[in-house]
């Protein structure tokens, strides 16, 4: 048996391309005392990987040609010589883009055990119940804590962070308005995620549509994109409104060139805006608390996120290119092996 890996072929310049990556078959690792071998079930593709590959994301060193791409999988322990893990355990861990991974259970691998539930697919543990979901929970519950009846706006609303944030705010009794990049995404956001409205920012008159969708102004803006969209939305923020600074999707390919978007900070000052910077790693110990809130909502049909899923590790580069271009609809995910061997 060989271990299929996706490695870096060359550092992407600007937007990543499929041939920046290459597939390779490596030897299967040997299970030594103190280690365990996992079989990857599903790989999460996330926007931070663009910066991580280039060594621009917290704790990630720049990858070289031939290095396995960073990434988190939900996986099954196949064989273990580690006291903390047994064959059959389900874990989420930083295994990279590969079929099999040998872990020592150390901090670098960020291993987290997962309870197998018959009504929840394991892939949810790298999506709505994983790091993206926890990000949304931290922003909504721990930072903004929006009031009942207040207006909550979120960008990248069809994705796992934005979609979960909006549904958590809805569960708190907010009026929730999404912003997304196509009419189809907006349909999903309202029809499937239950937002009150969704505005497609690709229409030229979207600021006017947003104003109509938020007749009482915006109390909380959960920002996933930065750039000009952030500038526009802040003009509609109520006095002392909150902005959760979560992501900069419009900037990730440009930061490499040293380019940054200059904001008119005067608008933030005149609005007395409260800017709340969010880093999900600060909330790693809140996963159980998050699941206590999220799983009942999922079971009640009040929290769901679409998966934008491909099967087969060799298809990961194409989906990653799609994600970074903003063309994904829902959680970008690669199925690697069936949930049960
Ligand atoms: N702070 C943290 O700790 C933390 C943790 C996790 C994620 N994040 C951030 O949260 C945001 C959402 O993450 P996610 O995993 O849920 O991603 P996602 O929504 O699945 O994908 C990103 C979305 O961003 C939108 N987008 C807007 N402007 C874009 C542009 N110029 N180029 C490309 N895409 C653009 C696209 O949706 P539309 O077509 O709808 O615009 C795209 O589908 C990202 O910025 C991510 O980096 C932050």
């Amino acid at each position: 048996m060989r271990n299929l890996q996706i490695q870096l072929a060359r550092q992407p310049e600007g937007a990543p391309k499929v041939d920046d990556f290459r597939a390779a078959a490596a030897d299967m690792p040997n299970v030594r005392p103190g280690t365990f071998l996992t079989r990857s079930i599903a790989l999460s593709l996330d926007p931070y990987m663009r910066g991580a590959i280039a060594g621009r994301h917290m704790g990630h060193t720049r990858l070289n040609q031939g290095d396995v791409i960073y990434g988190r999988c939900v996986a099954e322990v196949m064989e273990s010589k580690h006291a903390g893990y047994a064959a059959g355990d389900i874990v989420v861990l930083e295994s990279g883009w590969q079929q099999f991974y040998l872990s020592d259970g150390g901090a670098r691998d960020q291993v987290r055990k997962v309870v197998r539930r018959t009504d929840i697919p394991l892939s949810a543990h790298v999506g709505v119940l994983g790091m993206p979901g926890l990000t949304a929970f931290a922003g909504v519950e721990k930072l903004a804590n929006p009031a009942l009846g207040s207006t909550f706006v979120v960008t990248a609303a069809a994705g796992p962070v934005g979609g979960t944030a909006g549904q958590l705010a809805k569960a708190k009794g907010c009026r929730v308005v999404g912003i997304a990049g196509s009419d189809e995404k907006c349909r999903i956001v309202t029809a499937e995620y239950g937002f009150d409205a969704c505005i497609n920012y690709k229409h030229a008159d979207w600021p006017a549509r947003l104003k109509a969708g938020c007749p009482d102004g915006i109390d909380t803006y959960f920002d996933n994109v930065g750039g000009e969209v952030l500038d526009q939305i802040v003009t509609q923020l109520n006095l002392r409104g909150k902005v959760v600074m979560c992501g900069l999707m419009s900037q990730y390919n440009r930061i490499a060139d040293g380019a940054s978007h200059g904001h008119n900070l005067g608008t933030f000052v005149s609005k007395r805006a409260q800017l709340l910077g969010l880093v999900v790693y600060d909330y790693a110990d809140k996963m159980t608390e998050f699941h206590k809130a999220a799983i009942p909502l999922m079971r009640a049909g009040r929290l769901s996120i679409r998966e934008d899923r491909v099967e087969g590790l060799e298809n990961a580069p194409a989906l990653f290119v799609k994600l970074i271009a903003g063309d994904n609809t829902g959680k970008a995910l690669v199925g690697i092996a069936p949930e049960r061997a």
Side-chain angles (χ1 to χ4, degrees):
M1 203 160 44
R2 305 275 285 164
N3 179 20
L4 179 66
Q5 301 179 328
I6 305 295
Q7 305 174 346
L8 190 70
R10 58 159 186 247
Q11 271 292 334
E13 282 177 27
K17 294 176 268 313
V18 167
D19 52 13
D20 295 332
F21 303 87
R22 68 182 188 204
D27 291 338
M28 284 295 286
N30 285 322
V31 184
R32 304 180 307 272
T35 67
F36 59 96
L37 181 69
T38 61
R39 170 184 78 91
S40 305
I41 294 169
L43 165 71
S44 171
L45 298 183
D46 297 275
Y48 79 86
M49 291 168 171
R50 174 68 190 86
I53 290 168
R56 292 197 309 267
H57 190 265
M58 298 168 194
H60 294 81
T61 50
R62 185 178 165 90
L63 294 182
N64 293 311
Q65 190 181 61
D67 287 340
V68 177
I69 309 299
Y70 295 117
R72 200 169 293 128
C73 284
V74 59
E76 180 172 7
V77 177
M78 292 174 70
E79 188 186 341
S80 179
K81 291 183 182 167
H82 188 295
Y85 301 91
D89 282 351
I90 302 293
V91 293
V92 170
L93 81 174
E94 284 285 339
S95 57
W97 296 18
Q98 55 187 326
Q99 276 180 304
F100 301 100
Y101 182 67
L102 188 72
S103 175
D104 60 6
R108 191 199 49 184
D109 293 348
Q110 295 176 43
V111 190
R112 173 168 64 83
K113 279 194 195 176
V114 160
V115 179
R116 205 194 268 272
R117 296 176 176 84
T118 48
D119 58 340
I120 294 177
L122 289 180
S123 57
H125 291 281
V126 287
V128 59
L129 293 180
M131 183 277 285
L134 182 66
T135 305
F137 177 74
V140 173
E141 290 293 341
K142 302 297 174 189
L143 289 179
N145 194 19
L148 180 77
S150 66
T151 300
F152 181 97
V153 170
V154 57
T155 32
V161 174
T164 305
Q167 290 173 81
L168 293 177
K170 188 77 198 153
K172 289 174 78 70
C174 298
R175 172 171 176 78
V176 176
V177 178
I179 297 187
S182 74
D183 290 345
E184 173 57 9
K185 288 188 187 186
C186 283
R187 191 197 63 73
I188 290 164
V189 165
T190 50
E192 295 182 16
Y193 299 174
F195 285 32
D196 296 290
C198 185
I199 314 298
N200 176 356
Y201 69 94
K202 303 268 170 82
H203 293 303
D205 64 344
W206 73 269
R209 294 185 193 210
L210 180 63
K211 201 164 218 150
C214 302
D216 299 326
I218 298 168
D219 298 298
T220 306
Y221 169 46
F222 192 117
D223 180 38
N224 283 318
V225 302
E228 286 146 23
V229 171
L230 167 62
D231 285 344
Q232 260 305 333
I233 292 172
V234 172
T235 65
Q236 298 189 28
L237 199 66
N238 289 331
L239 280 189
R240 280 172 276 282
K242 296 175 183 174
V243 182
V244 178
M245 315 288 291
C246 176
L248 291 169
M249 206 58 206
S250 67
Q251 309 281 293
Y252 292 147
N253 290 322
R254 292 201 260 161
I255 291 168
D257 319 323
S260 69
H261 180 86
H263 292 281
N264 175 8
L265 294 176
T267 317
F268 292 84
V269 174
S270 63
K271 297 288 184 181
R272 288 78 154 174
Q274 302 176 56
L275 306 187
L276 305 165
L278 167 57
V279 174
V280 65
Y281 305 132
D282 296 345
Y283 301 91
D285 63 341
K286 300 286 184 275
M287 194 59 103
T288 305
E289 183 186 340
F290 165 50
H291 284 184
K292 275 191 186 145
I295 290 173
L297 287 175
M298 286 178 82
R299 290 189 167 138
R302 296 171 66 199
L303 176 58
S304 68
I305 291 293
R306 273 241 187 160
E307 290 184 350
D308 192 336
R309 184 179 171 119
V310 296
E311 299 305 324
L313 191 55
E314 63 283 5
N315 295 315
L319 183 58
F320 184 63
V321 168
K322 184 178 167 190
L323 167 69
I324 298 299
D327 295 333
N328 64 306
T329 301
K331 173 66 205 139
L333 202 76
V334 182
I336 299 178
E339 288 202 0
R340 289 179 190 277

